[in-house]
Amino acid sequence: MIHRLDDRDLCAGVVFVAIGIAALVFGRDLNVGSAADMGEGYVPWAMAIALIALGTLIVLLAGWRGPGGPENRFDGIRWRPMLFVTAAILAFVAALEP
């Protein structure tokens, strides 16, 4: 049986791990504290660790599938939805008052 790494799951897992690492790097100056005395960085730190764990789990478990068929292949990026969602977010941000 041949196992093939699914590109979509690999990309999603890598993005989750990258966001988790970025959150740890950007929040390194926050006081984490302990479970009994939580600082302002406790929840962001916990969420970053959870993202890293989830991304690793996705890459290791969900990324490996059975014999790959055309339904498992990465078909490329659909630009139109990405463009419209990004434009909607930017329009919302532009509409906010300072």
Side-chain angles (χ1 to χ4, degrees):
M1 179 186 290
I2 298 173
H3 291 284
R4 186 181 71 75
L5 190 62
D6 190 2
D7 295 335
R8 293 172 293 181
D9 291 332
L10 177 65
C11 290
V14 169
V15 167
F16 283 178
V17 170
I19 290 172
I21 291 172
L24 287 177
V25 169
F26 289 129
R28 68 181 177 267
D29 295 333
L30 298 174
N31 180 21
V32 176
S34 65
D37 185 27
M38 296 179 193
E40 67 273 4
Y42 188 83
V43 172
W45 177 81
M47 295 304 291
I49 297 298
L51 268 176
I52 292 171
L54 179 64
T56 304
L57 188 68
I58 288 172
V59 168
L60 294 178
L61 297 180
W64 290 99
R65 304 243 183 237
E71 68 277 356
N72 286 338
R73 273 193 232 127
F74 182 70
D75 294 329
I77 297 174
R78 294 183 178 99
W79 291 103
R80 186 174 173 199
M82 269 182 47
L83 181 68
F84 281 117
V85 169
T86 304
I89 292 170
L90 291 176
F92 175 74
V93 169
L96 292 175
E97 292 183 25

